[in-house]
């Protein structure tokens, strides 16, 4: 049976909210514990984010696929549209709305947990061509990783693999690997270590969409039948048939 859409949207909302809470909250904690050492702050922030992402995929993956990311959902819809796998157009619109709302809520939650103003738009300017290029690279790699795992039957290792990739991409990309339009929007609501100025958001989102297109193009060349596994992204999203529980 396919899991009810409202349950999947709740999972995407909650999972994305907790992911952004982890990103923003760990950034706030890092600046508190390691003032004046940006390298150590980034290390603390990246480790917390990687571990949290892996755990959240394990929690919500069996319900919604644990996308937490509009570009992952868009790729899932695009690649699966011909084979009837993956998200439908209706699912996609719901997923994106839930992810963006969750990301904003997660940023607000992190602010409140650290006794900051609930909504405090970031003043951290991130407008630069080399940062946008970093976002293209980060997003391309994420799309390739997720769908390669699904296509090769290795979706169960996605929590560890995706968490590891994002943690590493904090360090090897100039942009510290946002790679997620919803998370990018959410991070604009906190003027802290992980924040991004609202005026910088459009450039990052456009770069992420370019990364989505590049990732899909490479998938088409490397895994022409990747769409057949779209319903396994990030992990299987089908409920167990209760009748199976009564088999000898």
């Amino acid at each position: 049976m396919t899991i009810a859409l409202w349950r999947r949207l709740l999972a995407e909302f909650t999972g994305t909210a907790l992911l952004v809470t982890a990103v923003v909250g760990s950034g706030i904690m890092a600046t508190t514990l390691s003032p004046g050492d940006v390298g150590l702050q980034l290390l603390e922030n990246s480790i917390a984010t990687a571990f949290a992402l892996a755990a959240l995929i394990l929690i919500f993956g069996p319900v919604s696929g644990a996308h937490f990311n509009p570009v992952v959902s868009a790729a899932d819809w695009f690649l699966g549209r011909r084979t009837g796998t993956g998200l439908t157009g209706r699912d996609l619109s719901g997923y994106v709305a839930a992810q963006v709302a969750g990301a904003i809520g997660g940023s607000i939650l992190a602010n409140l947990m650290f006794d900051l103003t609930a909504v405090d738009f970031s003043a951290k300017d991130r407008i630069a061509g080399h940062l946008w290029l970093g976002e293209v690279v980060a997003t391309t790699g994420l799309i390739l990783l997720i769908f390669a795992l699904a296509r090769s039957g290795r979706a169960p290792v996605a929590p560890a693999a995706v968490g590891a990739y994002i943690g590493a991409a904090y360090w090897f990309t100039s942009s510290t690997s946002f790679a997620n339009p919803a998370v990018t929007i959410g991070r604009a609501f906190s003027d802290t270590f992980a924040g991004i100025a609202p005026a910088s958001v459009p450039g990052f989102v456009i770069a992420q969409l370019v990364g989505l297109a590049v990732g899909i193009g490479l998938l088409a060349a490397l895994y022409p039948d990747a769409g057949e596994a779209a319903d396994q992204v990030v992990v299987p999203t089908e409920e167990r048939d209760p009748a199976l529980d009564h088999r000898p």
Side-chain angles (χ1 to χ4, degrees), residues 11-12 14-24 26 44-62 65-69 72 99 138 142 145-146 149 155-170 176-180 183 187 234-235:
E12 286 297 303
T14 308
T16 309
L18 291 174
L19 173 60
V20 175
T21 299
V23 173
V24 174
S26 63
E44 294 161 348
N45 188 212
S46 63
I47 291 174
T49 299
F51 285 172
L53 179 56
L56 291 170
I57 293 173
L58 288 171
I59 295 170
F60 297 105
H67 294 184
F68 311 149
N69 189 333
V72 174
Q99 291 156 357
L142 180 63
L145 172 63
I146 290 173
L149 290 175
V157 304
V162 174
Y165 175 79
I166 291 298
Y170 259 75
T176 65
S177 183
F178 285 47
N180 184 328
V183 169
R187 287 167 70 162
V234 174
V235 295

Side-chain angles (χ1 to χ4, degrees), residues 58-106:
L58 288 171
I59 295 170
F60 297 105
V63 180
S64 68
H67 294 184
F68 311 149
N69 189 333
V71 296
V72 174
S73 298
D76 191 57
W77 164 78
F78 184 84
L79 292 169
R81 73 195 191 287
R82 293 181 179 175
T83 57
T85 56
L87 298 178
T88 65
R90 174 171 172 258
D91 291 345
L92 175 60
S93 61
Y95 267 50
V96 172
Q99 291 156 357
V100 172
I104 294 171

Side-chain angles (χ1 to χ4, degrees), residues 179-226:
N180 184 328
V183 169
T184 302
I185 293 170
R187 287 167 70 162
F189 284 73
S190 182
D191 190 19
T192 57
F193 179 79
I196 177 173
S200 300
V201 169
F204 265 56
V205 172
I206 291 171
Q208 290 154 4
L209 294 177
V210 172
L212 167 63
V214 174
I216 288 177
L218 288 172
L219 280 169
L222 297 171
Y223 299 96
D225 54 351

